Structures are given as structure tokens and as C-alpha cells.
Amino acid sequence: MVFRNYSDEFRTEAVELYRSRPGVSIAQVAEDLGVDDETMRRWVRADQQRRGEIPAGPVAAAAGLPPVAGAVEEENAALRRRVRELEEERDILRKAAKYFAGGDALVNRFQFVADHQARFGVKRLCQVLQIARSSFYYWRATAGHRAAREAADAALATRIRAVQARHDGTYGAPRITAELQDGGLAVNRKKVARVMRAHRIAGLRLRRRVQTTITDPAAVKAPDLISRDFTAPAINQRYVGDITYLPIGEGGFLYLATVIDLHSRRLAGWAIADHMRTGLVIDALHAARRTRSSLDGAIFHSDHGAQYTSRDFATACADAGVRQSMAKIGSSADNALAESFNATFKRETLQGRNAFTDVREARLASFRWLHRYNTVRRHSRLGHQSPINYENNTLATPATLAPAA
């Protein structure tokens, strides 16, 4: 097609020709005059706007369309754009769904933008996902720092798992932190806890308690000399004790009696038997007496179980020079330290199981844990030292535990 420069007179006459022939299309007039269709439409549109027949509009004015046709075409174009935007938004959200399955939702959104920016553009993706572009660009700029932190966290998680393995998976963040610090690693508890959460590392939780205290209403009671003050100014002055059960297979039990020093939290004596008779708690008291050489003048605090209120146990305490102390009936808080020890013992030896396989396993697991409690296991009350290390470091006492009968 040959393009020409049309004079103003030619354009005016062409429009007048179109207006003089109602029902004839712009295309037909343009064909008659040898003018391009779009050019003819622009001329007609400009004349209609000059006459005030239609308002000025970018789409209609550019195309030179009649009043009604231009408005409809403009509306259709806007609708088509909106449909394309909605389809694109749906496509983006479908692709983004798998990024939001877990973890940090904001980080996942940033990662999605980074992975799909070449196709959709950062501006459009941030708009659909409702995040600030500045935040995305900051996240991208700090990628190297995050990678280094993730690598450091992974290395720390490896060391945490090693500590957990050495302690049968029982340690939580405070004890793991103390272990790592003793190994020369400068790390705080909050960081250890964060890495444990991120890598799904957790210590054992408390199990449900079962009552083992059976009171004798007719027995003679001793006064409460502790009053919930589970401390002592020095070793071998105040002790607490209790009985707990060890479930065996299908319904069987062993029973553990303990004697714990309130100053160092050391398990000074213990005994295991297949019964809860008075001899069990007497054996534990004798074991503590062998550990300390003498218990003369010490206080021993217990609940009102029939074993502790018996005449035989009172005689054993008198022979050892021990003064008995007893909690209120039905108040576990009055002997909370011994109760807490029992809960920890069962939680860490049973490892989530309902029972030990057999008597041999129960005895060996108990033997191992009870000795490790004194020599290895860190205690928060002692600045995350083991009881015997605490005694050695502060009192220079022998680090031994006499086996119970």
C-alpha cells in the first residue's frame, strides 16, 4: 500500500462523505477513497470529538471508532486484561502452594519469588504474594550470610546429636549447652534450643506418675523438719527418699528406694527389690550410711508410706543416728525433690516405653543410670555439674557410691 500525506481538505471531505452515507461502514468509505481503514477511523473519531458527540478516550480516539463501538471495545479490552491478570495470579498461587507446606512462610515466599522471577517478574510476584519488594531484595542480598549460618547450625546440630547419643537421648537444651561449653564451644542455651527445634532434636518428656505410697493410719508420724526447703548448707546433713516402681513386661514390677543428699543432690544410697516391704527402704538407708561412713545427726525426709512409718525403719534410723522427717499426708509437693528424681529416672531409662522387657534388663538399666546420675549426668541446680563433680570441686570429698544391697 502506498502511504500519502493527506491534506486537511481531503480529510474533511472524506469525513463528510462518511457522514452523508448512513449505514455505510468506515471500511467501505476508506476502500472507495483508497485510504487505510485505521486512518479513516481516526479521522472520523477526531471529527466526532470536535463536534462534542463523544468524550475524548484513549482507546476510541486512537482507533477513530464511532461513539458506541469505541466504548464497547475499550470495555472489552479492559476485561480481557483483567482476565489475563486473574489467570496469571491463579497460576502463580498454584505454583506457590507447595512452597508453603512448612517452615518459615515469609522465607518460603521469598524463595518462590527468586525461583520464578524470570517468568513473572519480581514486581508482579511480590504483588500477588503480598510481600514488599524491598524485603525480597534484602533477603536476596543476605543469602551468603544465611548460608553460612545454616552451615554453622548444621555443624552444631551434629555436635548436639553426639551429646544426645552419649546420654541416651535424655538431655535437653540446658544440659547440652553445659556439655558443649565444657568441651570448649562458646554457645548459649537459646541458640542450642533454636537449633534443636529446627533440626527436631528433643530430650525425653515426663511420663504419667503412678502412686506407690500406701499410708498406715495407725502408724506413728514424724514432724516435718524440711518444710519444702530442699537445700542443705553442707553434705550429709539433710536427705530425702522415696519409693518408685519399675514396670516389667506384662504387669510385673520391681521397686526402687532412694536416699538423696539435699546439698549436692547425690544419690547416697539406693536399693532395688521385687517387693515394697520395709526391708527395701532399710537397705537404701544402710547403703547411704556406707557411702558417708556415718549419718549421725542427719535428717531423713520421706512421705507417709507404711515402710517409712514402720517400727523397723524407725529403729534403723535411730541406730544410724538419723532424725526422721515426714511430709503431710497426700501432699506430693512436700517431697517434691524425691518425686522429681523418680520421674526423671523412669523417663530416661524407659525411653518412652511402657515397661522393661524383663527383670534383668530393668536391673541393668537401673544400675547404669543410677551410677551415671552421680558421676556423669549434669544437674541444673549444681551449675550443670554432676553431683560427685560438684562435691569434688567444692568439698573435695571422695567420689564413690557404695552399691546397695
Side-chain angles (χ1 to χ4, degrees), residues 70-140:
V72 171
E73 182 60 27
E74 186 173 358
E75 183 177 356
N76 288 341
L79 289 173
R80 285 193 294 271
R81 286 194 301 271
R82 182 54 180 160
V83 168
R84 286 194 299 271
E85 289 176 357
L86 291 174
E87 289 176 343
E88 183 181 66
E89 184 173 330
R90 179 193 62 188
D91 190 25
I92 290 172
L93 293 175
R94 281 179 177 176
K95 292 179 180 296
K98 65 180 180 181
Y99 281 73
F100 305 147
D104 189 319
L106 184 58
V107 170
N108 290 341
R109 293 184 186 198
F110 289 153
Q111 188 62 56
F112 179 79
V113 173
D115 293 345
H116 295 83
Q117 60 182 325
R119 177 177 176 182
F120 298 104
V122 172
K123 180 178 180 180
R124 178 60 173 152
L125 289 169
C126 289
Q127 181 184 42
V128 173
L129 299 179
Q130 299 181 348
I131 57 177
R133 275 186 288 167
S134 59
S135 298
F136 166 73
Y137 287 126
Y138 176 81
W139 176 83
R140 190 171 64 179

Side-chain angles (χ1 to χ4, degrees), residues 154-397:
L156 179 58
T158 299
R159 297 189 65 169
I160 290 172
R161 288 192 177 95
V163 173
Q164 282 282 61
R166 288 198 299 272
H167 296 279
D168 304 325
T170 60
Y171 274 13
R175 289 186 175 87
I176 289 176
T177 302
E179 188 95 349
L180 294 173
Q181 289 173 346
D182 279 359
L185 182 63
V187 65
N188 60 42
R189 183 188 60 78
K190 290 184 178 180
K191 183 174 183 178
V192 170
R194 175 180 60 78
V195 171
M196 290 179 70
R197 286 194 302 270
H199 291 262
R200 298 185 179 182
I201 306 171
L204 293 178
R205 297 183 180 274
L206 288 172
R207 293 174 52 82
R208 186 177 179 181
R209 294 176 57 251
V210 174
Q211 183 178 2
T212 55
T213 301
I214 302 173
T215 60
D216 181 358
V220 178
K221 309 301 190 296
D224 184 354
L225 303 178
I226 296 295
S227 299
R228 300 188 183 182
D229 177 13
F230 299 109
T231 62
I235 66 168
N236 201 25
Q237 291 188 0
R238 305 172 86 188
Y239 293 88
V240 295
D242 197 10
I243 300 174
T244 190
Y245 73 99
L246 284 64
I248 309 296
E250 297 295 330
F253 293 96
L254 290 179
Y255 299 92
L256 168 69
T258 56
V259 179
I260 304 169
D261 191 308
L262 287 181
H263 179 76
S264 65
R265 299 300 195 266
R266 181 175 179 174
L267 181 61
W270 55 274
I272 293 178
D274 59 1
H275 61 81
M276 285 201 301
R277 295 189 293 272
T278 303
L280 175 66
V281 296
I282 292 176
D283 287 343
L285 184 69
H286 287 167
R289 188 177 184 181
R290 290 195 299 272
T291 297
R292 295 305 194 193
S293 298
S294 172
L295 296 177
D296 190 34
I299 295 172
F300 178 78
H301 183 77
S302 68
D303 58 26
H304 282 260
Q307 303 87 348
Y308 294 113
T309 59
S310 68
R311 185 184 302 275
D312 288 345
F313 186 70
T315 299
C317 287
D319 289 344
V322 170
R323 291 184 294 162
Q324 282 189 267
S325 168
M326 290 185 184
K328 295 183 179 68
I329 297 177
S331 176
S332 60
D334 287 345
N335 201 23
L337 190 144
E339 298 272 1
S340 176
F341 175 91
N342 292 340
T344 300
F345 164 74
K346 285 188 285 189
R347 179 182 73 238
E348 297 187 2
T349 53
L350 285 169
Q351 297 276 320
R353 296 178 297 165
N354 292 325
F356 294 103
T357 303
D358 52 34
V359 170
R360 181 175 183 275
E361 182 198 12
R363 285 186 176 276
L364 290 177
S366 300
F367 176 83
R368 177 178 182 268
W369 191 92
L370 294 170
H371 280 277
R372 283 175 59 85
Y373 170 84
N374 275 342
T375 61
V376 176
R377 191 181 187 280
R378 297 176 182 274
H379 201 296
S380 57
R381 174 68 173 72
L382 308 177
H384 290 294
Q385 300 180 72
S386 69
I388 285 182
N389 283 342
Y390 178 77
E391 290 188 359
N392 288 341
N393 291 335
T394 59
L395 305 169
T397 55

